[in-house]
Amino acid sequence: MALEPMAIGVMLGVGESPEESLQKVLDVGVRCAQMGRPPDAWLKPAKAAELKKMIKKAGITITTVFCGFDGERYDDIPTVQQTVGFVPKATRAARLKKARQIADFAKVLGVKNVAAHVGFVPEDHTTREYKEIVRAVGSFADYLKKNGQNLCLETGQETGECLLRFIQDLKRSNVKVNFDPANMILYGSGEPIPALKLVGKYVAGVHCKDGTWPTEKDKLGTEVPLGKGKVNIPRFVQTLADLGYRGPLTIEREITGDQQRKDIVKARKLLERVRAKVLGKA
Ligand code: MG
């Protein structure tokens, strides 16, 4: 199903009950979603094929599948550095293996974009550690290439300059960006809109999320409802349009329960207004 330009979507966690998760997408009034890593049982090809049918029946388009790994924690910046993505050495090989399984799961669903938080990429690109991370992430990108898929790097834990350098060092045509402007604020990695312009040509997906800057050393800032934080959502969407981006605008609200649903519905309405203005002008 072809999506409209800047189709509004939502980040979908797949819990134990995919039917419930798919219903949550429909409940907020959207038809496209990015999907978090499902429980292991659903990664098996037969279960993935079953899920594909459910998604089709619900009339939903999955635009991206996200990798996530056991043991990842986002409590504060040192914890993220030690636990997230492909950066921690002790879990790297096992996580690459899991990432390949998630890629194959996405392939069964017919999803071309696979996204991941790499973790904190070291700022110093001359270190052996940095080169090892480039090699590891590059090997995953090569695997995805054989599947006909892209690797979308979730932004936020590094500056725009560091991310651009990392992409250039990876030297793979299927390495793209899933740009999350709020993460840059939450991690204190710099103003998101200049960073977006820097990596603009690589952007294959975005998260529409908002946040406020950290106020204490080593602590993350606070994620807030869309439009209530420091991103400047109208300017963010306008900048995407100016860069020629017409892909999905995926709302991410990292809370749970009924408040999450309410905040997502408000975010959808905000994005509908902003998009009408931006695309009307284009
Ligand atoms: Mg995000």
Side-chain angles (χ1 to χ4, degrees), residues 154 178 180 183 207 209 252:
E154 168 84 347
N178 189 76
D180 184 327
N183 280 350
H207 281 164
K209 188 170 93 185
E252 185 175 37

Side-chain angles (χ1 to χ4, degrees), residues 37-62:
R37 170 203 164 177
D40 277 348
W42 289 93
L43 291 176
K44 298 199 174 88
K47 292 295 274 181
E50 200 183 305
L51 187 55
K52 185 182 183 180
K53 279 187 203 151
M54 281 184 215
I55 293 166
K56 194 170 176 215
K57 198 172 157 216
I60 291 170
T61 302
I62 301 296

Side-chain angles (χ1 to χ4, degrees), residues 159-172:
T159 62
E161 289 79 8
C162 180
L163 180 65
L164 181 62
R165 163 144 221 140
F166 187 60
I167 294 168
Q168 288 168 343
D169 288 341
L170 280 163
K171 295 190 188 74
R172 265 90 171 172

Side-chain angles (χ1 to χ4, degrees), residues 81 84 86-88 92 118-135 137 157-159 161-167 169:
Q81 280 168 336
V84 170
F86 301 114
V87 170
R92 193 180 294 154
V118 166
F120 271 90
V121 176
E123 291 279 338
D124 183 354
H125 61 94
T126 62
T127 62
R128 191 171 149 185
E129 194 202 358
Y130 177 87
K131 286 172 187 145
E132 281 175 8
I133 295 165
V134 168
R135 207 176 306 129
V137 174
Q157 288 150 1
E158 54 288 305
T159 62
E161 289 79 8
C162 180
L163 180 65
L164 181 62
R165 163 144 221 140
F166 187 60
I167 294 168
D169 288 341

Side-chain angles (χ1 to χ4, degrees), residues 139-198:
S139 76
F140 182 42
D142 291 340
Y143 187 86
L144 290 166
K145 179 104 182 170
K146 283 188 208 139
N147 271 356
Q149 292 167 315
N150 294 321
L151 171 59
C152 299
L153 306 173
E154 168 84 347
T155 61
Q157 288 150 1
E158 54 288 305
T159 62
E161 289 79 8
C162 180
L163 180 65
L164 181 62
R165 163 144 221 140
F166 187 60
I167 294 168
Q168 288 168 343
D169 288 341
L170 280 163
K171 295 190 188 74
R172 265 90 171 172
S173 60
N174 65 327
V175 171
K176 310 282 181 193
V177 164
N178 189 76
F179 198 93
D180 184 327
N183 280 350
M184 299 211 56
I185 291 172
L186 297 176
Y187 287 89
S189 343
E191 285 289 347
I193 291 173
L196 172 62
K197 289 179 185 165
L198 209 56

Side-chain angles (χ1 to χ4, degrees), residues 3 6 14 73 87 100 179 185 194 202 220 251 261 279-280:
L3 292 171
M6 293 189 152
V14 181
R73 282 171 39 217
V87 170
R100 292 192 292 269
F179 198 93
I185 291 172
Y202 300 103
L220 292 161
I251 299 162
R261 186 187 59 77
L279 293 183

